[in-house]
Structure formats: structure tokens, C-alpha cells
Amino acid sequence: MGLRLPGPACPQQSVGVTKVPFLDLRLASEELESELLEATARVVRSGWYVLGAEVERFESDFAGYVGARHCVGVGSGFDALHLALRTMGVGPGDEVIVPANTYIATWLAVSYTGATPIAVEPDPGTYNLDPRRIEDAISSRTKVILPVHLYGQTASMGRICEIARHHGLLVLEDAAQAHGAQWEGRRVGCLGDATAWSFYPSKNLGALGDAGALTTDEDEIAHQIRVLRNYGARTKYENTVKGFNSRLDEIQAAVLTVKLPKLDEWNARRVAVAESYLRQLADVPIVLPEVATGAVPAWHLFVVRCRQRDELRAYLAAEMVETSIHYPVPPYRQGAYRAGGWGGGELKISDAIHQQVLSLPMGPHLSEEQVDMVVAAIRRFLAKLEPVTGESEP
Ligand SMILES: *Cc1c(COP(=O)(O)O)cnc(C)c1O
């Protein structure tokens, strides 16, 4: 059955303030304003700005939070991925298994080591790496499996680790969207061999600028990352390997130390938003997020799927509901990879997902009233879809 799409109810409404922003980062900063100002002032007055007591404190707090033996602060999520791959011995000629659908940073981290990202299609229900497809992608060059806990939904870590062990591979998790997510009762952060974190401001745990970290139980990985993040220096001015400059700075560490104790509460508010969407949209013809058995998601994003995605998005924008798309174009169709260097042909599941996904407003500071407004606007859009006669389902 074909559908005729409604136009926006009242286009002139789009002029003015957004009623439901996609994510308003000011609200998190407002909630913690005095603590954040106090923490940054402490650093300003300390006279020590890179790799000091604040970084050590946050590393210890965050390792404790995720239940890993080590946490090493670095400059960004990308750096955490890139440096972790290097400590795992990944380099030119090697292959790393990555999800076909992820933010391009996951792929770029592999490419920057000189290795090739090998794309594996997702489970279309959870959007996460489909363990049933991983073994076909393993070759004699494969070194690492790199699952992403996309949208804050935990990937099937049990099965992924089993496959890795069976083939002698390491597992590096991209947990940039999964602070506080769990898998079978354990927090993401010590499930595979190492876990890369981003604290980009919009993440569930976000700094006031760029920041990242790696958590791991492996002493050697942690040690090597500490060396690589600081010009390859084991001790000052003793540069044993060609390292990088990717250090977590004291101000960001101090900010993250203030925000970490709030993470569970903020995630609980995300759960409430997600549950409200799931309950109120259960009977409408859009695809809602599916939570895998064993997973407790961090609800970084609330992603629905709709054939008329672009029309729905335009309609919601006119109703002053701001949405986003994660992501409009899969990495393999980006200019950066179009010329090849990723090892495969067409990725049909990812293509379809990218054409249909829409991220609804989501965050700890979204009010119940705002959630209800989003739901009502979606319902109005869907109610106006008129069946077009004489057209058949493609
Ligand atoms: C944000 C993000 C990254 C990159 O983190 P940065 O801190 O911006 O470098 C990597 N992977 C995923 C899945 C992300 O969402």
C-alpha cells in the first residue's frame, strides 16, 4: 500500500524557539554549575594543567565505575580507539572487523593504523554487529573485532568474545555511546580486551570539550597506552617508541569527575524517556528500538525507523520538534572510503537503515511534557498519511 504524505500542519510555526530541542547541553551544565565552576577554578589555581592529580583521580573513579583494573585518559574517543589498536599490534596489512553502520570515527581509527576495516552488516533489529555474520569476515589477516555499542545498545558481547577467543582475536569495544550500559549484569568497560570511550560533550558522560579514555583489565595494554599518549615516553625524555600527543587535560578531567556521580541518575532519566516513547508509540506503524536479551542500554539515542523518514522529520521540524539522523550516510559510501580500502561490496542492510532511521529527542533533561509533545506530533503525522489507491507495496 502506498502512502500519501501530509505537509507540515502549520509551517509558519517553525519561526521561533524550538519547543523540543534534540539535546540541550546547557541544562546539564546548569544543574551542576557551582560544582563545575569550583572544579575548573581548582585547576586554574593549581598551576598544573596536563596529566596531573585531576586526571589520576578521574582515571581511578572511572575505572571503579566500569569495574576495570585500568583507565587511561586520552584526548578524544578517536584517539582511544586508534591508540588501543596500536597497542594490540594492529598495523599495515592487518584487518579489523567493524560494523558497517557506525560513526565514521570507528573506521578511521582502523585506517590510521594502516590496517583495513572489514565491514560486517548489523542485526536489523538491534542495529549492532550481527555475530552470525562475523566468522565469514574473518581472514588470516584479522587481528581485532571492534564492536560498537551503537545508540547505547550493548552489542552481543557473549557471542562476540566467544568468536574472538575461538579465532585468537582481540576485542576492542567502541563505547563512545554506552556509558553505563550493561551486558548480562556487567557494565560495559571490561567485557572485551579493551574499551574505548569518548567524552565528547553530547555523550552520556560528556566533558566541556574533547576528551576520551581507554579502560582495560590488561596491564600491558594500559601501560602501552600511557606511553603512546605521551610521545612514547616511558619516563620523561626517554622515548622508547614513536608516540603521539593525546593527553587528557586537567580541566576536562576535573569536569568529568564532577559529572561521573550523576551518570546513573541521568541514565535513569533517559530510561524513563525511552520507556515513555516505547509505551506511547507501541501501536503506531514505525519501528521502535529493540533491546537485545542480556543488554541494559544507556539510551544515548532513541532511534526509530520509518519509510517516510524525511517527510516525518520535516513535519516534526515544522511542529518545532528537533530530530537528528545517526547517520545519514554509511562510512563506506563516504568520500573517504568510496575509492575502496574497506574490503567489500554493497552493504544493503546498512543502506536501508541509513535511509530510514530517525533519532528522536533524548536526554536526561527532556521533560515528560516534551516527550508527550513528540509523541503527539508523530501521531498527527501518521494519522494524516492517506492510503493511495491502486499502488502496491514495493
Ligand atoms: C563520538 C563517537 C566517536 C568519537 O569520539 P570523539 O571523542 O569525538 O573522537 C567514536 N565512535 C562513536 C560510535 C562515537 O559516537
Side-chain angles (χ1 to χ4, degrees):
M1 174 181 71
L3 297 166
R4 179 166 295 140
L5 301 163
C10 190
Q12 65 273 22
Q13 275 184 357
S14 59
V15 183
V17 193
T18 306
K19 270 199 283 187
V20 188
F22 179 68
L23 176 67
D24 187 347
L25 293 177
R26 267 176 317 187
L27 298 171
S29 295
E30 267 169 35
E31 191 177 329
L32 292 173
E33 187 169 289
S34 59
E35 291 99 317
L36 289 171
L37 292 177
E38 193 183 303
T40 48
R42 188 171 69 229
V43 177
V44 169
R45 293 189 195 113
S46 75
W48 192 285
Y49 306 116
V50 167
L51 294 186
E54 298 288 348
V55 169
E56 276 175 28
R57 160 103 192 261
F58 175 69
E59 287 178 344
S60 151
D61 287 0
F62 195 63
Y65 176 82
V66 304
R69 294 189 53 208
H70 307 280
C71 170
V72 184
V74 294
S76 69
F78 172 81
D79 286 353
L81 289 165
H82 171 221
L83 298 183
L85 288 166
R86 286 188 179 259
T87 66
M88 292 175 163
V90 173
D94 293 332
E95 293 178 353
V96 174
I97 290 177
V98 295
N101 58 319
T102 176
Y103 182 52
I104 197 167
T106 319
W107 285 43
L108 289 174
V110 175
S111 297
Y112 273 73
T113 66
T116 305
I118 302 296
V120 168
E121 287 272 56
D123 177 323
T126 63
Y127 309 115
N128 269 327
L129 201 55
D130 187 344
R132 290 165 301 190
R133 296 170 185 271
I134 292 175
E135 286 190 299
D136 287 345
I138 294 175
S139 79
S140 58
R141 294 161 177 247
T142 311
K143 280 263 176 77
V144 171
I145 304 177
L146 206 178
V148 178
H149 305 297
L150 198 67
Y151 309 150
Q153 303 276 353
T154 327
S156 297
M157 289 308 293
R159 190 66 195 113
I160 289 169
C161 291
E162 227 172 76
I163 294 168
R165 229 174 292 123
H166 186 249
H167 292 269
L169 308 174
L170 294 172
V171 176
L172 170 63
E173 292 155 76
D174 180 341
Q177 304 185 358
H179 315 74
Q182 294 179 29
W183 179 256
E184 290 177 347
R186 289 168 67 203
R187 282 223 177 95
V188 167
C190 61
L191 303 171
D193 296 286
T195 307
W197 301 91
S198 165
F199 306 116
Y200 182 77
S202 64
K203 311 294 189 188
N204 288 35
L205 178 61
L208 300 178
D210 277 310
L214 193 92
T215 54
T216 181
D217 279 345
E218 301 292 327
D219 299 347
E220 191 50 33
I221 290 177
H223 173 68
Q224 281 194 52
I225 289 264
R226 285 184 192 282
V227 170
L228 284 179
R229 76 175 170 180
N230 195 20
Y231 291 117
R234 260 167 219 284
T235 59
K236 207 171 189 187
Y237 305 131
E238 187 206 343
N239 303 81
T240 47
V241 290
K242 293 192 188 88
F244 301 83
N245 175 356
S246 181
R247 301 172 294 218
L248 178 59
D249 73 66
E250 290 282 284
I251 286 193
Q252 298 309 338
V255 163
L256 290 166
T257 299
V258 168
K259 286 179 134 187
L260 179 59
K262 275 273 167 184
L263 178 59
D264 284 345
E265 182 193 324
W266 283 352
N267 276 352
R269 293 198 232 157
R270 288 173 183 273
V271 169
V273 171
E275 282 176 350
S276 182
Y277 278 141
L278 289 170
R279 191 176 57 248
Q280 297 195 69
L281 293 171
D283 61 335
V284 303
I286 57 174
V287 180
L288 297 173
E290 182 183 312
V291 176
T293 318
V296 176
W299 292 110
H300 175 59
L301 297 170
F302 191 93
V303 176
V304 299
R305 226 158 78 220
C306 174
R307 282 239 201 116
Q308 299 82 16
R309 188 265 315 269
D310 294 338
E311 293 80 0
L312 172 59
R313 185 165 195 226
Y315 183 88
L316 293 176
E319 300 269 308
M320 291 193 279
V321 172
E322 195 182 18
T323 58
S324 192
I325 297 174
H326 298 88
Y327 295 90
V329 180
Y332 91 103
R333 290 201 182 275
Q334 296 282 0
Y337 286 101
R338 214 178 288 142
W342 59 275
E346 263 204 340
L347 298 164
K348 293 210 167 69
I349 299 175
S350 293
D351 281 342
I353 287 172
H354 285 77
Q355 283 153 22
Q356 296 178 359
V357 285
L358 185 69
S359 305
L360 302 184
M362 167 52 86
H365 298 88
L366 207 63
S367 69
E368 259 180 71
E369 191 195 359
Q370 287 176 314
V371 173
D372 293 348
M373 280 161 64
V374 177
V375 169
I378 293 173
R379 284 188 169 280
R380 277 196 298 278
F381 171 81
L382 293 169
K384 286 190 178 191
L385 288 178
E386 288 169 24
V388 175
T389 48
E391 220 183 280
S392 60
E393 189 84 4

